[in-house]
Amino acid sequence: MPIILKSVYSEAQPEDGLRFLVDRLWPRGMSRERLKIDAWLKELAPSNDLRLWFGHEPEKWEEFRRRYLSELTEREETVAELLVKIRDGRATLLFAARDQQHNNAVVLRDYLERALVSIARQGKERS
């Protein structure tokens, strides 16, 4: 159940599994054919206000992370739908940000991985 992070400018690979664009805005100069995405999850991207406030400034990272996690908890249904799609296989989250460590895909991956661990634990407890 690994979740991979990749720039939208990286070539698609067979080992990517399901590919999801997780930015609110479509990346400049990219066609849907070139991205080879299974879905565009803009509803799971940070709100426009949060995205603009953050502006990919690393000194705002911790606060951005906190605020974005709060937004994700308000989108339970959409997160649950994604978890069903990815829980049994590999998934790749695509992002357009230049900064590979300070972007929404990093936060979303961590959030999804924690949720998958929690689901697995609940399944074991019920067995």
Side-chain angles (χ1 to χ4, degrees):
M1 76 176 171
I3 299 173
I4 301 163
L5 300 181
K6 271 190 168 180
S7 167
V8 295
Y9 304 105
S10 298
E11 292 297 320
Q13 301 296 323
E15 62 270 13
D16 288 347
L18 295 173
R19 292 170 50 90
F20 301 101
L21 176 61
V22 295
D23 287 345
R24 183 159 297 277
L25 303 176
W26 190 264
R28 286 188 192 131
M30 298 298 294
S31 67
R32 189 170 186 97
E33 294 76 33
R34 183 168 173 213
L35 280 179
K36 296 183 171 121
I37 60 171
D38 292 284
W40 180 14
L41 305 176
K42 59 185 165 189
E43 63 276 5
L44 288 180
S47 66
N48 203 42
D49 287 343
L50 181 57
R51 181 184 65 79
L52 292 171
W53 172 83
F54 177 47
H56 297 285
E57 296 176 35
E59 61 274 6
K60 294 181 177 178
W61 173 246
E62 289 305 320
E63 181 61 17
F64 168 78
R65 186 177 177 82
R66 186 189 69 72
R67 290 182 189 186
Y68 182 36
L69 286 170
S70 177
E71 288 185 358
L72 287 171
T73 60
E74 296 171 4
R75 301 174 189 159
E76 281 180 22
E77 190 173 311
T78 307
V79 169
E81 290 170 8
L82 178 57
L83 289 169
V84 167
K85 291 177 184 175
I86 68 172
R87 76 173 166 217
D88 295 325
R90 185 179 298 259
T92 298
L93 304 182
L94 301 168
F95 60 92
R98 289 188 180 118
D99 187 332
Q100 307 254 330
Q101 277 96 37
H102 303 100
N103 65 67
N104 63 293
V106 172
V107 179
L108 180 57
R109 178 202 55 205
D110 295 348
Y111 186 83
L112 293 171
E113 286 178 343
R114 281 194 304 274
L116 288 168
V117 167
S118 177
I119 290 168
R121 276 193 200 129
Q122 289 173 1
K124 287 180 183 177
E125 290 172 2
R126 290 182 185 149
S127 300

